[in-house]
Amino acid sequence: MPTIAQQIYDLLSKYTNSIYGNPGTTELHFLKYLPNNMKYYLALHDGVAVGLSEGYYLKSRNLGVVNLHAGPGLSNSFGYIYSAYRNKSPLLIIAGQQPSYSSPEEPMLYYNFSSLPSVKEYVEIKNSKETIKFMNRAIRTCLTYPYGPVVVSLPYDIIEDISDEDVNYGKVVEGNMCSESVIIDTVEKIKSSSQIAIVAGYEIETFDASQEVMHLSNKLNCPIYAEPYLSRSSGIRVNDTLPTRASELNKIIRNYDLVLVLGGELHRVLYMDEDIHWKNVIQVTSDVNEARKRPWNTIVCNLKYFTGKLNELITPRSSPSRIIQRQKRRNEKISNMLKLLLSYTDGYTVFGEASSQGEEIRELFSSTRFYSNRSGLLGWALPAGVGYASAGGKSLVIMGDGSFNYAPQAIWTASRYDLRVKILIINNSGYEALRSRAGYKRDFFSPETHPWRIAEAYDFRAKEFEDYQLAVKWLMEGEERKLAEIRVEE
């Protein structure tokens, strides 16, 4: 008869072949039974393990699985768990727990996070009889849209219990199609509108709807704007990115009779200095939680199905809708460097996290496969890029020196498992995103660091450059993992 641990692995193997973690004493019994067909990727920080698993999901579209160390490991990971929740990424987080009989005493490492925020569910297993049932429920919760993380508390004393539970559970299959009447109503609104704009959001990538949205834009002869802080793209060519200040965003969308927000959020602004102008907005999303928050008309359904049906029903428009161009302040050296880097990205997936250049990076690299995170967490892109590579992808991470210092341990994992990751550090000597907004000077805005030296310590080929052309050429030559650090002045 199999043990509980063996049955958990049997169940997990139906959804993934990889586990990410940073183990401690409460995980030793579980990891003892790790099967040969299940890869274990070690991270040197608990939060990094969560970021790695999210990157794995983004490449494989399989459930991300993390094994964390009791209360301390979960606590170390809250920022990354919150990001997975905001990113709608399905992660099963199995946290070791003290013996099931010890909870009244609350010994060291014990935790009770039953009110843990920003997870879809927190599952506390108490005995071996309920373990597999709860594991199956947790997995199904992760993989029911909107996706998200679920934390399972697993006491180590039941791991080696014998179990005869059946693990051949069924799976959740979601259709989420739109009613014909809703689609026809949208067609009628399109017909009665002279100026139309599309706002492209992250769900276009989630549901592989890039071609449908591009075709819709062509038929409507209208521009595509990326939602503020666009976090995912798989080749959408946008005319511009929407501003991150509500008043500036309103200056754009007020020019249109109809704004189709496709799989995105207009409220992803940093400065909510006025209410979003919403009378002309129709939003399409699969996220019922997002739909209930907004004042405008929202259609909850599968975005790919919706845009495909619209394309069948609308007729091409000859008169183009206007495109609103904004004046933008750009650093010429950085702009030229990013444009040069773009020419090298064939075959690579880009992970962006350089706050000072975030808007420009999203605007340029949205035409490739591109990811950033929706929570605002710094330190996400590097672990996610490494995790993406662990699933067979090729990652190019673009980040600032400030972001790098939140999660440099991810470089060790890339080296340990020989993963295809390239990293460009834009070093502006600290936090330019803060310096440019503060209106005053303080030394704590400008921590001087040298990420390339840290990378060398983790067995990465790394160099520091002042010439961006040499930096990009050296970085992108060959397949080996490298880090290029370019010094810039804002």
Side-chain angles (χ1 to χ4, degrees):
M1 298 287 285
T3 64
I4 289 289
Q6 289 170 320
Q7 287 210 307
I8 292 174
Y9 285 121
D10 283 348
L11 181 61
L12 293 179
S13 68
K14 301 177 185 300
Y15 298 92
T16 186
N17 63 359
S18 299
I19 296 179
Y20 302 82
N22 183 11
T25 52
T26 53
E27 291 69 56
L28 293 177
H29 293 72
F30 181 58
L31 294 177
K32 174 182 175 181
Y33 292 91
L34 184 73
N36 292 331
N37 64 349
M38 189 74 70
K39 302 174 186 174
Y40 185 94
Y41 289 90
L42 177 64
L44 301 186
H45 185 277
D46 310 272
V48 169
V50 178
L52 291 167
S53 69
E54 189 169 0
Y56 166 83
Y57 157 70
L58 291 173
K59 172 57 180 174
S60 69
R61 298 299 160 171
N62 295 329
L63 177 72
V65 179
V66 194
N67 186 217
L68 297 180
H69 177 42
L74 269 175
S75 300
N76 268 341
S77 307
F78 282 171
Y80 289 88
I81 294 171
Y82 171 65
S83 286
Y85 181 79
R86 294 288 297 158
N87 294 341
K88 310 296 189 298
S89 294
L91 305 186
L92 179 68
I93 301 167
I94 304 172
Q97 177 64 290
Q98 289 284 27
S100 55
Y101 55 78
S102 69
S103 57
E105 286 79 21
E106 297 189 2
M108 185 177 180
L109 303 180
Y110 172 81
Y111 62 97
N112 182 351
F113 292 149
S114 55
S115 58
L116 185 67
S118 301
V119 297
K120 290 190 71 178
E121 190 174 15
Y122 171 80
V123 177
E124 188 168 13
I125 294 173
K126 292 293 189 181
N127 59 68
S128 57
K129 189 66 177 175
E130 67 187 20
T131 302
I132 301 304
K133 293 185 177 72
F134 264 134
M135 280 290 179
N136 179 63
R137 168 174 156 173
I139 291 170
R140 292 165 78 97
T141 303
C142 288
L143 295 173
T144 303
Y145 207 80
Y147 303 147
V150 173
V151 172
V152 178
S153 170
L154 182 63
Y156 72 77
D157 63 311
I158 67 174
I159 289 297
E160 296 183 292
D161 288 355
I162 300 301
S163 174
D164 60 357
E165 289 292 316
D166 186 357
V167 299
N168 293 310
Y169 289 103
K171 296 185 178 181
V172 176
V173 178
E174 293 186 291
N176 201 20
M177 302 306 180
C178 315
S179 70
E180 292 295 324
S181 62
V182 168
I183 296 172
I184 291 171
D185 284 346
T186 306
V187 171
E188 292 304 314
K189 287 184 173 65
I190 289 172
K191 288 179 179 178
S192 63
S193 302
S194 60
Q195 293 292 322
I196 301 174
I198 290 173
V199 176
Y202 74 101
E203 285 187 65
I204 294 173
E205 188 273 344
T206 303
F207 291 98
D208 190 26
S210 295
Q211 293 302 315
E212 287 81 359
V213 173
M214 290 293 292
H215 186 44
L216 181 63
S217 170
N218 290 334
K219 291 192 79 171
L220 295 178
N221 209 349
C222 74
I224 300 178
Y225 298 96
E227 66 174 337
Y229 293 107
L230 177 70
S231 62
R232 296 183 186 180
S233 180
S234 56
I236 288 284
R237 294 190 178 276
V238 300
N239 296 92
D240 201 353
T241 57
L242 287 179
T244 59
R245 185 181 292 274
S247 56
E248 296 300 314
L249 184 150
N250 282 334
K251 290 178 182 177
I252 294 176
I253 66 174
R254 283 194 177 110
N255 289 277
Y256 299 99
D257 306 315
L258 177 62
V259 177
L260 293 172
V261 181
L262 302 180
E265 302 171 20
L266 284 183
H267 281 78
R268 280 182 52 74
V269 294
L270 184 60
Y271 302 102
M272 196 69 186
D273 56 342
E274 64 183 46
D275 288 341
I276 301 291
H277 180 75
W278 59 270
K279 295 290 187 182
N280 55 347
V281 172
I282 295 178
Q283 181 184 28
V284 184
T285 179
S286 293
D287 185 352
V288 293
N289 295 322
E290 163 63 18
R292 66 182 172 81
K293 300 174 186 176
R294 307 307 175 201
W296 46 65
N297 291 323
T298 303
I299 301 167
V300 179
C301 72
N302 183 297
L303 182 64
K304 188 179 183 74
Y305 177 85
F306 178 86
T307 50
K309 283 294 183 181
L310 272 190
N311 282 321
E312 292 176 9
L313 296 174
I314 62 173
T315 55
R317 298 164 68 101
S318 57
S319 299
S321 294
R322 65 176 64 95
I323 301 172
I324 309 302
Q325 298 287 356
R326 291 185 292 141
Q327 295 295 318
K328 300 168 188 174
R329 175 178 167 267
R330 297 286 196 237
N331 180 307
E332 185 177 0
K333 178 180 179 179
I334 295 176
S335 293
N336 290 336
M337 177 180 65
L338 292 174
K339 290 172 184 176
L340 178 62
L341 186 62
L342 179 63
S343 68
Y344 283 89
T345 55
D346 187 36
Y348 282 88
T349 294
V350 177
F351 290 79
E353 195 176 278
S355 299
S356 302
Q357 292 80 38
E359 184 177 69
E360 186 172 7
I361 289 171
R362 287 187 291 272
E363 187 178 314
L364 275 175
F365 292 94
S366 64
S367 61
T368 68
R369 185 167 288 277
F370 170 81
Y371 296 104
S372 65
N373 85 80
R374 301 182 73 76
S375 72
L377 177 78
L378 296 181
W380 178 88
L382 185 51
V386 173
Y388 190 93
S390 75
K394 293 169 63 176
S395 300
L396 170 61
V397 181
I398 308 171
M399 62 194 320
D401 52 313
S403 294
F404 173 86
N405 287 306
Y406 279 82
Q409 304 95 325
I411 284 184
W412 181 90
T413 302
S415 296
R416 169 64 179 81
Y417 300 101
D418 194 22
L419 303 177
R420 293 181 293 179
V421 181
K422 294 182 183 292
I423 305 165
L424 178 69
I425 303 293
I426 303 173
N427 192 331
N428 55 25
S429 301
Y431 307 137
E432 177 59 27
L434 298 181
R435 289 193 297 253
S436 62
R437 291 175 170 87
Y440 57 89
K441 295 182 179 180
R442 289 290 189 274
D443 61 356
F444 49 73
F445 292 149
S446 302
E448 192 72 40
T449 63
H450 303 277
W452 71 276
R453 294 177 182 171
I454 298 174
E456 282 195 324
Y458 284 132
D459 199 25
F460 242 72
R461 283 194 67 193
K463 287 186 179 182
E464 183 181 39
F465 294 86
E466 291 189 2
D467 186 320
Y468 73 83
Q469 292 178 319
L470 292 178
V472 170
K473 182 179 179 181
W474 175 83
L475 176 66
M476 302 308 293
E477 280 180 341
E479 293 287 315
E480 64 187 312
R481 59 184 182 276
K482 296 179 185 177
L483 181 148
E485 179 178 334
I486 180 74
R487 288 269 170 178
V488 298
E489 292 183 5
E490 296 286 347

